[in-house]
Amino acid sequence: MSANTIDPNAWVDKYSDYLFNYTIVRVDDKEIAQDLVQETFFAGLKSMKNFKGEASERTWLISILKRKIIDHYRKINSNKGKAEVRMSYSTDTETEGDWLEERVADPFDRNAEGDIENEELGLAIHNCMGKLPEKQATIFKMKTIQGFETEAICNEFDITASNLWVIIHRARTAMAECLEKNWF
């Protein structure tokens, strides 16, 4: 039997400040951070039966929160989120009957925090790639980063196309796991 137990009645008192501080650094928006912490508590309540006690309660909640933060960024960076445009109906006499764009998000609008976060992500990706087996890392870089054609890579490494895609899939899976553990 494990030594770690779960007590949802104490979560807010014990972990809310810690979880909020963890989140605010990553999302830089107080309301979103509060929402993500609240969603974490709800998700924890829903999945209490899955808590095995192998980690501390706080570690378990942090792992849920990390997924919530990742989901938040996936949602705002999805094609649907990027394409959101608010429209208003014009009653101006010159353009009467036309729909006008009020605001379109500028994809080039960047801030210093975003640059730092991108630099951190770049370092995390570099570190995770360093953990891949050498052949796998080289093939992954050639195909995904350098854009080599499948045939050229297969000829260079004397492998089949299906073998190439298995290697790429394994590299992507390993990279995703590594980034989930080490970036957030």
Side-chain angles (χ1 to χ4, degrees), residues 15-114:
Y15 307 118
S16 61
D17 288 338
Y18 179 82
L19 295 175
F20 176 80
N21 289 333
Y22 182 91
T23 308
I24 194 71
V25 169
R26 286 156 178 82
V27 297
D28 196 31
D29 184 300
K30 181 181 176 186
E31 289 181 19
I32 292 173
Q34 290 171 335
D35 289 345
L36 290 172
V37 171
Q38 186 176 22
E39 288 175 25
T40 299
F41 288 148
F42 286 136
L45 286 171
K46 286 182 184 177
S47 62
M48 278 176 34
K49 62 186 174 293
N50 298 333
F51 181 74
K52 298 176 183 166
E54 295 170 354
S56 71
E57 189 176 47
R58 185 176 94 166
T59 301
W60 181 69
L61 288 169
I62 283 287
S63 70
I64 294 171
L65 178 59
K66 285 179 182 179
R67 286 196 240 4
K68 295 292 178 189
I69 293 169
I70 291 168
D71 290 344
H72 164 74
Y73 279 109
R74 281 186 185 141
K75 180 180 175 187
I76 65 172
N77 289 318
S78 71
N79 287 337
K80 183 179 177 184
K82 287 179 185 175
E84 182 179 318
V85 177
R86 294 189 180 162
M87 306 291 275
S88 67
Y89 191 74
S90 173
T91 56
D92 179 13
T93 54
E94 282 183 31
T95 57
E96 190 166 346
D98 291 340
W99 288 94
L100 302 174
E101 296 179 3
E102 286 181 358
R103 180 186 65 84
V104 177
D106 181 2
F108 300 104
D109 182 25
R110 307 221 17 212
N111 58 30
E113 185 169 325

Side-chain angles (χ1 to χ4, degrees), residues 66 124 127-128 131 176-184:
K66 285 179 182 179
N127 289 336
C128 288
K131 294 177 182 178
E177 289 172 2
C178 179
L179 287 171
E180 189 170 314
K181 289 178 188 173
N182 298 309
W183 187 48
F184 277 109

